[in-house]
Amino acid sequence: MFFAVPTRFHDSHPRDAIPLANGLIVVANVLAFALGRSPYWLVGPGTGVLSVITYAFAHASWWHLLGNMWVLLVFGNPANRRLGNFYYTLTYLGSALALGIIARFLCHGYLLGSSGAIFAVIAVCITLMPACLVDVYYLAVFPLSLLLGLVHRPQHWVYWFIRWDHFSLRALWAILLVPLLEVWGLFWWGWNWTNLGHLLGLFCGLAAVLMLPSAITIKGRRPAWTFDA
């Protein structure tokens, strides 16, 4: 068993403040869950028209919400700073809407959660800023801890059975690792809309990058008319 949690994305212009658009999206998700209605905003066969977007603000539990919002803060803040509020919001909501329409007409069950849109944001980050470092903390349990021990000999015997540590890697590696982990999830857990939704979210993010103005994707600066806080 292996758990990995990203803790920081080191973009070229780090700031402590949360950008406006990403902050509002996080607040909207938290409020939707706190109101107690969000579990009913899921999308699937027979759900209403608005469900193709409301599902992205619905979460099954506090753990589901906290996990998604943590990852959104880690990757969404640098993506928001790079794209500006207008293009970031358009990318996030556009990806959520595209995945919601697919789920509404093709999914055999019901889908909820912001994971797909968040994976689109991850794709934007690792595509536009591949040289940036990502800090990751991990927990490995036997037998994976044994494999790690063979690569890097542990200093204490207990680490052969359970191991926790952190490392940093270039975002470029995530372009390969993230899709591989999701494909592995499809084979390990069987065909499911969770891993498939993550993969589709990555494709939505890549498609959004291709449609962004060259001032953002090539030169790394936003057009003067882009709304920003």
Side-chain angles (χ1 to χ4, degrees), residues 154-165:
Q155 298 179 353
H156 196 279
W157 65 268
V158 73
Y159 292 158
W160 287 104
F161 300 95
I162 182 170
R163 189 166 182 172
W164 58 93
D165 203 345

Side-chain angles (χ1 to χ4, degrees), residues 117-187:
I118 292 174
F119 269 77
V121 171
I122 293 174
V124 170
C125 260
I126 63 182
T127 303
L128 295 182
M129 297 172 279
C132 293
L133 288 174
V134 183
D135 294 338
V136 180
Y137 279 77
Y138 71 87
L139 171 67
V141 181
F142 185 86
L144 289 180
S145 57
L146 178 61
L147 294 177
L148 288 175
L150 295 175
V151 176
H152 186 271
R153 188 177 181 83
Q155 298 179 353
H156 196 279
W157 65 268
V158 73
Y159 292 158
W160 287 104
F161 300 95
I162 182 170
R163 189 166 182 172
W164 58 93
D165 203 345
H166 70 280
F167 60 91
S168 297
L169 77 163
R170 298 289 179 186
L172 176 65
W173 288 102
I175 297 176
L176 298 175
L177 292 176
V178 174
L180 284 177
L181 288 173
E182 294 304 321
V183 171
W184 176 81
L186 285 174
F187 283 99

Side-chain angles (χ1 to χ4, degrees), residues 10 14 42 57 60 72 92 96 99 105 110 119 163 169 179 196 229:
H10 296 267
L42 40 71
F57 296 89
L72 183 58
Y92 186 91
L99 294 173
F105 293 101
Y110 295 96
F119 269 77
R163 189 166 182 172
L169 77 163
L196 183 60

Side-chain angles (χ1 to χ4, degrees), residues 37-67:
R37 298 178 57 193
S38 62
Y40 305 100
W41 294 357
L42 40 71
V43 65
T47 57
V49 176
L50 292 180
S51 67
V52 296
I53 190 64
T54 57
Y55 84 96
F57 296 89
H59 292 86
S61 66
W62 275 110
W63 287 112
H64 188 201
L65 173 70
L66 290 174

Side-chain angles (χ1 to χ4, degrees), residues 1 17 48 67 83 114 116 120 128 162 201 214-215:
M1 190 175 295
L83 271 60
S114 55
L128 295 182
I162 182 170
S214 59

Side-chain angles (χ1 to χ4, degrees), residues 15 17-28 73 76-77 80-81 84-86 88-89 222 227-229:
R15 303 175 189 175
I18 299 175
L20 178 62
N22 200 45
L24 290 177
I25 290 172
V26 171
V27 169
L73 287 172
N77 289 346
N80 192 169
R81 288 191 284 265
N85 289 321
F86 175 76
Y88 179 78
T89 303
R222 289 159 289 184
F227 168 72
D228 202 353

